[in-house]
Amino acid sequence: MLAEKDQVFLKNESNEIRKLIIRFSNPELSNHFGGPFSSVEIMTYLYMFVMKDMDLSQKERDKLILSKGHCCPTFYALLGRRGYLSEEELHTYKKLNSPLQVQPDMKRLPFVDFSSGSLGQGLSVAVGMAIANKMKNSKNNIYVILGDGEIQEGQIWEAAMAASKYRLDNLICFLDKNNLQSDGNVCDVMPIEPVAKKWETFGWFVTEADGHDFCQIDQKFKECSQASGVPKMIVCNTVKGKGVSFMENKYEWHSKILSNDMKLLALKELEGMVC
């Protein structure tokens, strides 16, 4: 069981991450909110608990592939909370020549492990990294965050087969299953169910969690750590736009302009969520 002090810390960090994303969003441009907010707890758990003692600037460490690259505002905010980026730097998000672009760029920002953005490619890259670690006898893990709309891509399933073939038990994936994508319900655009059974059929160890409950995420992560000889998948049931009432479960907030008035409203809601 996750200690109470760790639960409180992670919940408060998640709230601070959402507030940071709101603050550095540009009121004149469309910004991603839905996916970044549904993945906050998953990424906070990884970067603030599992990988908390790692120097993210070093190459030899556990790595995280943000395959759904448009969720990088959460990643940028986490870098800010860990002291790698100042709030002034965060406010350059999406500006010309800024290292903080709408998709993560490993050539501009050294903490990025893969320049994602074209959906469906991240798992293939992660499979290659996991194989390389096996060849080097490295004990480091490769973590991947996938979107449920993203796994409609065929390349995902080719990579899933390869991960199973090569018995990549150093590969742990989190599926941010918020049931919405940029233009509607996932089940309407291209159904993916029964999603857990599909990954199991492809030879993966699969478990499910409430993607906003740190105790469940921690429990399922530990279950994955015990499984050997197979890649692992945690299906995280989440809410798109989690934390801001007028964004929750609205596919329109996948990417949208947030006016200054709406910024203040969102921040007011989030200020009331401190543990």
Side-chain angles (χ1 to χ4, degrees), residues 32 48 57 65 79 107 150 182 188 209 244 254 270-271 275:
H32 288 103
M48 293 293 203
S57 65
I65 304 299
L79 289 179
K107 291 184 177 180
E150 178 184 17
S182 60
D188 294 329
V244 178
H254 179 88
L270 292 167
E271 286 290 349
C275 293

Side-chain angles (χ1 to χ4, degrees), residues 204-243:
W204 288 53
F205 173 85
V206 182
T207 187
E208 294 192 51
D210 178 337
H212 302 300
D213 185 320
F214 285 111
C215 287
Q216 286 195 34
I217 295 171
D218 182 63
Q219 177 187 348
K220 301 304 182 178
F221 180 80
K222 288 174 179 173
E223 287 179 14
C224 285
S225 299
Q226 298 301 312
S228 62
V230 290
K232 301 89 176 272
M233 167 62 74
I234 304 175
V235 178
C236 295
N237 297 299
T238 61
V239 175
K240 199 173 185 80
K242 176 70 174 179

Side-chain angles (χ1 to χ4, degrees), residues 29-185:
L29 299 172
S30 179
N31 297 266
H32 288 103
F33 295 105
F37 280 9
S38 66
S39 61
V40 165
E41 279 76 15
I42 301 168
M43 293 178 67
T44 299
Y45 175 77
L46 285 169
Y47 276 107
M48 293 293 203
F49 192 73
V50 176
M51 302 168 67
K52 63 181 178 181
D53 296 324
M54 295 182 181
D55 181 351
L56 299 182
S57 65
Q58 298 301 309
K59 291 185 178 180
E60 293 303 316
R61 53 174 172 77
D62 287 359
K63 294 181 180 179
L64 188 143
I65 304 299
L66 185 59
S67 192
K68 49 182 301 184
H70 57 278
C71 292
C72 59
T74 302
F75 173 61
Y76 298 153
L78 277 160
L79 289 179
R81 293 297 295 173
R82 285 197 54 174
Y84 290 105
L85 293 173
S86 67
E87 186 150 350
E88 182 180 3
E89 289 172 311
L90 288 170
H91 280 276
T92 69
Y93 173 58
K94 292 186 74 173
K95 293 183 178 179
L96 189 64
N97 297 321
S98 170
L100 312 182
Q101 289 300 312
V102 70
Q103 306 288 353
D105 187 341
M106 63 193 303
K107 291 184 177 180
R108 295 186 180 209
L109 194 63
F111 313 105
V112 176
D113 292 318
F114 171 58
S115 299
S116 52
S118 184
L119 294 175
Q121 295 182 356
L123 185 56
S124 296
V125 172
V127 165
M129 288 180 170
I131 291 173
N133 279 358
K134 288 282 188 181
M135 294 175 70
K136 295 185 294 184
N137 292 316
S138 170
K139 300 300 183 182
N140 291 327
N141 289 322
I142 307 297
Y143 306 112
V144 186
I145 297 180
L146 299 167
D148 49 358
E150 178 184 17
I151 67 169
Q152 295 162 344
E153 300 275 0
Q155 184 175 344
I156 289 290
W157 301 101
E158 295 179 66
M161 285 189 285
S164 178
K165 174 184 177 179
Y166 293 109
R167 302 173 61 84
L168 300 179
D169 51 8
N170 58 346
L171 177 63
I172 302 177
C173 293
F174 295 77
L175 178 62
D176 181 11
K177 186 174 177 287
N178 61 38
N179 302 308
L180 295 170
Q181 55 193 105
S182 60
D183 49 2
N185 297 310

